[in-house]
Amino acid sequence: MLLCINANNTNVKFAVYDGEKPVGDWRLKTEAGRTADQYVVWLNQLMIMAGLDFKKITGAIIASVVPQAVFHLTMLCEQHLKTKPLVVGDPAVKLGIQVKMDIPVSTVGADRLANAVGGHITYKKPLVIVDFGTATTFDVADGEGNYLGGAISPGINLSVEILHSATAMLPRIAVERPNRVIGKSTTEAMQSGIFWGYVGLVEGMVQRITAEFGADLAVIATGGLAPLFVGVTPLIHHLDPEITMRGLVEIYRRNKN
């Protein structure tokens, strides 16, 4: 079995695959100093509850945008799984696509590269992948799956928290779709500004990216808050919560074949 790990700024997601079939996935709040021993106790217990044998994991791949976490996650794999993990962004790890950026591949978000790979093997066309995570990212891949770059905006929850913490009278709110744009209370007004403001952000960015790319692009939404925005704008074509992990499975396959 293969263990795929995606460490972002909010959560670390662990997914176990039997071949290309997902058989379990779990999330843990990201703490850069969490040790390999802490990870293994947590993961082993959850796998037992899911009827899975921790000792049957024979390979691992890591994508992380938290550099401090990579060491401990690598130690988890090497010390407790007895396998050396592939780390996306390492020059020795083949992506199977070109990364057409002006900076080294190792400095591009590993999840963004995995998204491009996972998107291409499914959709086989030029893509914009909108990832509603800690940051809201827009990543562009051409018809061959090559990663062209994109844009990074503050994430929705981050914007909500700043709106609350930087003002004297605005409360902390939950992110949800309001029934109307013109809010009749402070909370409704904040929810409208956050929700419809991000819809406008997505629509505006997708239109500008498409114009600059010069051809139609399939728009894929992923990330924790993506389901909230699917169906409210015709510019989002697909919801794909597993695109990152599917990309990691494919990158692992390309390096082991």
Side-chain angles (χ1 to χ4, degrees), residues 1-13:
M1 293 191 298
L2 172 66
L3 176 64
C4 297
I5 305 172
N6 179 29
N8 62 40
N9 290 294
T10 303
N11 294 307
V12 184
K13 179 177 179 180

Side-chain angles (χ1 to χ4, degrees), residues 24-245:
D25 66 82
W26 309 273
R27 288 170 176 80
L28 186 66
K29 180 177 173 57
T30 301
E31 291 183 8
R34 197 185 304 273
T35 67
D37 293 340
Q38 291 173 307
Y39 280 123
V40 72
V41 170
W42 173 84
L43 181 60
N44 187 42
Q45 288 299 312
L46 287 172
M47 290 188 66
I48 289 172
M49 291 171 63
L52 300 171
D53 187 350
F54 185 82
K55 295 180 180 179
K56 290 186 177 180
I57 294 174
T58 56
I61 182 168
I62 299 170
S64 177
V65 297
V66 185
Q68 304 94 320
V70 174
F71 172 79
H72 298 292
L73 291 169
T74 300
M75 289 300 99
L76 163 69
C77 299
E78 293 183 349
Q79 293 179 355
H80 298 288
L81 298 175
K82 309 304 180 185
T83 185
K84 183 176 178 61
L86 299 180
V87 179
V88 177
D90 187 311
V93 175
K94 299 177 294 183
L95 299 175
I97 60 173
Q98 296 181 48
V99 180
K100 299 184 177 182
M101 296 283 284
D102 297 332
I103 55 177
V105 173
S106 60
T107 64
V108 181
D111 53 345
R112 302 175 75 190
L113 299 175
N115 284 350
V117 173
H120 177 67
I121 63 174
T122 300
Y123 303 101
K124 307 292 186 183
K125 60 179 66 173
L127 303 172
V128 179
I129 302 159
V130 186
D131 194 333
F132 294 90
T134 308
T136 300
T137 59
F138 300 81
D139 295 304
V140 184
D142 64 20
E144 286 70 50
N146 299 316
Y147 182 79
L148 306 184
I152 303 173
S153 301
I156 299 164
N157 284 326
L158 181 61
S159 296
V160 169
E161 186 60 32
I162 291 174
L163 194 60
H164 165 68
S165 62
T167 58
M169 296 184 64
L170 296 183
R172 182 179 283 108
I173 62 168
V175 180
E176 56 187 61
R177 181 180 177 180
N179 295 323
R180 52 194 174 198
V181 177
I182 302 173
K184 297 299 185 179
S185 68
T186 299
T187 297
E188 282 188 357
M190 292 174 67
Q191 288 174 333
S192 176
I194 290 293
F195 182 83
W196 293 114
Y198 269 88
V199 171
L201 170 68
V202 171
E203 291 177 336
M205 288 299 297
V206 167
Q207 289 170 349
R208 288 177 180 274
I209 288 169
T210 301
E212 188 170 303
F213 183 79
D216 288 339
L217 295 151
V219 182
I220 317 301
T222 192
L225 288 174
L228 194 61
F229 291 86
V230 173
V232 300
T233 171
L235 294 188
I236 294 178
H237 304 134
H238 304 281
L239 173 64
D240 192 341
E242 299 304 321
I243 191 171
T244 309
M245 290 305 189

